[in-house]
Amino acid sequence: MSSYDVVIIGSGPGGYVAAIRCAQLGMKTAIIEKYNTLGGTCLNVGCIPSKALLDSSEHYHNALHNFDEHGIEVTGLKPNLQQMINRKNDVVSQTCAGVKFLMDKNKIDVHAGVGSFKDKNTIEVKDGKGKTSSLTSKNVIIATGSKPNYFPGMEPDKKRIITSTEALKLKEIPKKMLVIGGGVIGLELGSVYARLGSEIEVIEFAPTIIPTMDGTLGKELTKVLKKEGFKFNLDHRVQKVENKGKSVVLTALNKKGEEVTFEADYCLVAVGRKPYTEGLNLEAAGLSVNQRGQVDVNDHLQTSVPNIYAIGDVVRGAMLAHKAEEEGVYVAELLAGQKPHLNYNLIPGVVYTWPEVAAVGKTEEELKAAGVDYKVGSFPIKALGRARASMDTAGLIKILASAETDEVLGVHMIAPRAADLIMEAVTAMEYRASAEDIARICHPHPTYSEAVKEAALDATEKRALHV
Ligand code: FAD
Ligand code: NAD
């Protein structure tokens, strides 16, 4: 029986990053993964493949709609979905192989198979051929992630009623795709197929898309995506979706309670994800899951069994790769006797539509609800010379700052390269900058980042320069 200082179950961004940090800190470390490749949801069927397809479809969309204005003439343009998927698969393989390399480099033992608790210090690993081995460990980190969620009546059959996993490997470009859920997955994967020519119709339960983000972003993104051909049905309660062979039929109740039906060739179910603990045999370690299926943890990501920790999608909080990574580092450093720190208020969120949507800190709705006295600064992207040069004029940047101290409390943007731009806000907020601090920093010209400065100027004293 092999024995370790720490055994990590699950090799997603939470698990593999935790493993690297544990090894760096001198712990004898093992990681268990049931899939054939390392990297979890993020690398195999999440962040990386979706961004690969978003990039390919964006190139096609630009070639189709924007090249002529740039003075580039193209004839015979057509999308080759199979090649896009082949390229995506290559990107995934290379990235997963990179994780294996990192495990070897850091001398982390990789055990292939399903990990399940025998007791709080013993994990059994059952491989694909049914062979079982046992590992003992002083500490265990559960990093088993999540799976697509669905509600009664919308069970995916993975053929025409699909989840994100199948949407990443379709054999044809749908003529029409229904998307249940106007959240991150629905809008990102909806964008991929809208750009390739599919008609996309979103059926969303809430009165807005991306309902957990600042309301301004949902409104602005709706405008942008409608131009790309998206149709939105908000305030709709899905009753059932049926595979009719060559089509799917979805029945929903609209805001007035009337029954409405939609027909398409595919239906993507994107109503969130649920924590995954199947096969872990948590009970043997003295653990159970809460009502939401999560493993409960305290502020130090420790479960009720002191030597067992849990991180990432399987615990409370945002289901994001970078949140899982930070939690992995946190637990590793805690186990090494350090005093790590993690600021959940400063975990940025990004939606990779074009333009991208990104946010950090409090939304205007949250500040209102908390009775905080705040001021708003904003700047339209179309006022930037850089944006006119690249023909990316949609969007805005909004900065919320304390009315009393001018401290930046939230930054919300829909802008070209917002996924990268948001890091200026995260850094500023980590150092508790005021809007004026950002406004007084020299930003390079011409860049999209000038919109951050201008929004900060607007928040400071309503003195944006270029609007
Ligand atoms: P996971 O990545 O889910 O990894 C868990 C691993 O544990 C899996 O490999 C699983 O096989 C393994 N496992 C489970 N049980 C066992 C067991 N008993 N024994 C052995 N192994 C086990 N997040 C972002 O931040 N940015 C994005 O752009 C983004 N895009 C996404 C796009 C899509 C389509 C999807 C679905 C998700 C996306 N996410 C994105 C979310 C992101 O993928 C997750 O938040 C992240 O992967 C969570 O990491 P994790 O380590 O907690 O779990
Ligand atoms: P989500 O929570 O982002 O969106 C789900 C949407 O479905 C919400 O708008 C919700 O109101 C709606 N909804 C819920 N029940 C519904 C119903 N019965 N009928 C109609 N609409 C309904 O979830 P997601 O898009 O499935 O993504 C899952 C997770 O993966 C998210 O937590 C997200 O953080 C993560 N993810 C992140 C990224 C990224 O960071 N760019 C990309 C993809 C996924």
Side-chain angles (χ1 to χ4, degrees):
M1 192 185 293
S2 316
S3 61
Y4 294 95
D5 294 317
V6 57
V7 164
I8 295 149
I9 311 177
S11 74
Y16 89 74
V17 169
I20 294 172
R21 191 72 187 115
C22 285
Q24 282 177 342
L25 291 164
M27 290 172 239
K28 190 177 176 208
T29 307
I31 193 162
I32 307 170
E33 174 54 58
K34 66 179 196 163
Y35 287 147
N36 296 333
T37 52
L38 302 178
T41 304
C42 175
L43 271 60
N44 289 282
V45 290
C47 325
I48 299 300
S50 59
K51 267 79 254 178
L53 290 182
L54 277 157
D55 278 329
S56 298
S57 60
E58 196 182 314
H59 285 312
Y60 173 71
H61 184 266
N62 278 333
L64 191 64
H65 296 286
N66 299 333
F67 273 17
D68 56 348
E69 202 168 331
H70 278 286
I72 305 165
E73 289 174 14
V74 186
T75 49
L77 186 73
K78 58 176 188 197
N80 179 342
L81 181 63
Q82 192 51 57
Q83 171 53 21
M84 287 185 190
I85 291 192
N86 293 345
R87 191 193 78 90
K88 178 265 298 179
N89 290 343
D90 285 346
V91 172
V92 167
S93 308
Q94 288 162 20
T95 315
C96 292
V99 176
K100 177 70 174 74
F101 166 81
L102 292 172
M103 296 299 103
D104 294 344
K105 183 186 162 207
N106 287 285
K107 304 195 169 35
I108 296 160
D109 288 350
V110 177
H111 297 270
V114 177
S116 56
F117 284 97
K118 207 164 168 221
D119 59 50
K120 68 183 180 54
N121 295 102
T122 316
I123 318 285
E124 274 188 350
V125 185
K126 195 173 186 182
D127 73 12
K129 292 178 187 138
K131 204 176 132 228
T132 305
S133 54
S134 269
L135 317 177
T136 59
S137 186
K138 278 187 216 149
N139 295 294
V140 181
I141 304 176
I142 300 170
T144 47
S146 64
K147 284 274 176 292
N149 193 21
Y150 54 85
F151 296 106
M154 57 172 92
E155 292 82 357
D157 63 12
K158 302 191 177 180
K159 294 184 175 77
R160 292 205 173 268
I161 305 168
I162 59 175
T163 70
S164 51
T165 304
E166 294 76 49
L168 292 168
K169 53 181 183 193
L170 285 184
K171 295 258 180 289
E172 57 179 356
I173 298 169
K175 284 187 198 63
K176 179 168 177 178
M177 184 187 266
L178 302 175
V179 176
I180 309 181
V184 202
I185 291 182
L187 301 181
E188 288 187 1
L189 293 176
S191 291
V192 167
Y193 289 104
R195 293 166 186 172
L196 299 180
S198 304
E199 190 187 327
I200 301 292
E201 186 141 17
V202 175
I203 294 97
E204 164 62 56
F205 179 74
T208 172
I209 57 169
I210 45 170
T212 54
M213 299 186 93
D214 190 282
T216 311
L217 299 181
K219 273 190 209 137
E220 191 69 16
L221 188 61
T222 301
K223 281 192 249 163
V224 168
L225 293 179
K226 275 186 174 171
K227 279 192 195 145
E228 251 176 50
F230 273 67
K231 288 188 186 142
F232 293 106
N233 303 277
L234 307 174
D235 281 312
H236 275 59
R237 194 179 287 266
V238 173
Q239 302 294 295
K240 61 175 183 215
V241 196
E242 289 170 292
N243 182 341
K244 299 279 188 189
K246 291 201 166 148
S247 68
V248 283
V249 174
L250 183 152
T251 314
L253 296 181
N254 68 14
K255 202 177 174 180
K256 295 181 195 150
E258 299 158 345
E259 197 171 280
V260 278
T261 58
F262 303 87
E263 192 167 1
D265 33 355
Y266 290 90
C267 176
L268 168 64
V269 181
V271 293
R273 292 178 61 83
K274 56 185 173 203
Y276 184 74
T277 52
E278 239 176 81
L280 269 180
N281 198 21
L282 288 172
E283 298 71 25
L287 287 171
S288 57
V289 294
N290 66 21
Q291 274 189 330
R292 304 181 70 183
Q294 298 158 334
V295 177
D296 275 328
V297 285
N298 64 17
D299 288 348
H300 300 295
L301 296 154
Q302 189 179 32
T303 68
S304 55
V305 178
N307 73 313
I308 303 177
Y309 294 77
I311 58 172
D313 281 10
V314 81
V315 302
R316 81 283 181 272
M319 287 180 158
L320 294 172
H322 42 286
K323 177 255 192 190
E325 288 185 34
E326 293 303 326
E327 290 184 335
V329 170
Y330 182 100
V331 172
E333 293 182 351
L334 199 73
L335 291 177
Q338 298 184 0
K339 292 195 166 47
H341 167 73
L342 211 173
N343 185 350
Y344 284 98
N345 185 44
L346 294 188
I347 292 173
V350 175
V351 189
Y352 291 83
T353 47
W354 191 263
E356 291 165 342
V357 182
V360 64
K362 302 288 182 222
T363 64
E364 202 169 340
E365 292 78 8
E366 284 169 338
L367 293 179
K368 269 190 195 139
V372 175
D373 199 5
Y374 65 93
K375 49 190 183 164
V376 185
S378 70
F379 190 78
I381 297 299
K382 65 172 179 245
L384 286 178
R386 181 72 189 87
R388 278 192 299 278
S390 68
M391 280 173 59
D392 289 306
T393 49
L396 58 91
I397 294 189
K398 168 167 149 180
I399 294 186
L400 304 170
S402 162
E404 199 187 332
T405 64
D406 197 38
E407 179 178 353
V408 178
L409 303 175
V411 178
H412 308 277
M413 50 176 80
I414 166 160
R417 304 272 167 249
D420 299 294
L421 285 184
I422 197 67
M423 275 318 296
E424 175 176 3
V426 180
T427 309
M429 288 173 73
E430 184 65 44
Y431 290 93
R432 302 199 59 178
S434 65
E436 187 174 355
D437 287 331
I438 298 179
R440 288 191 179 278
I441 294 170
C442 179
H443 288 64
H445 174 76
T447 59
Y448 303 118
S449 76
E450 287 171 286
V452 180
K453 178 188 173 97
E454 293 276 2
L457 278 167
D458 193 45
T460 309
E461 284 176 345
K462 293 282 160 220
R463 60 182 179 92
L465 294 163
H466 290 89
V467 76

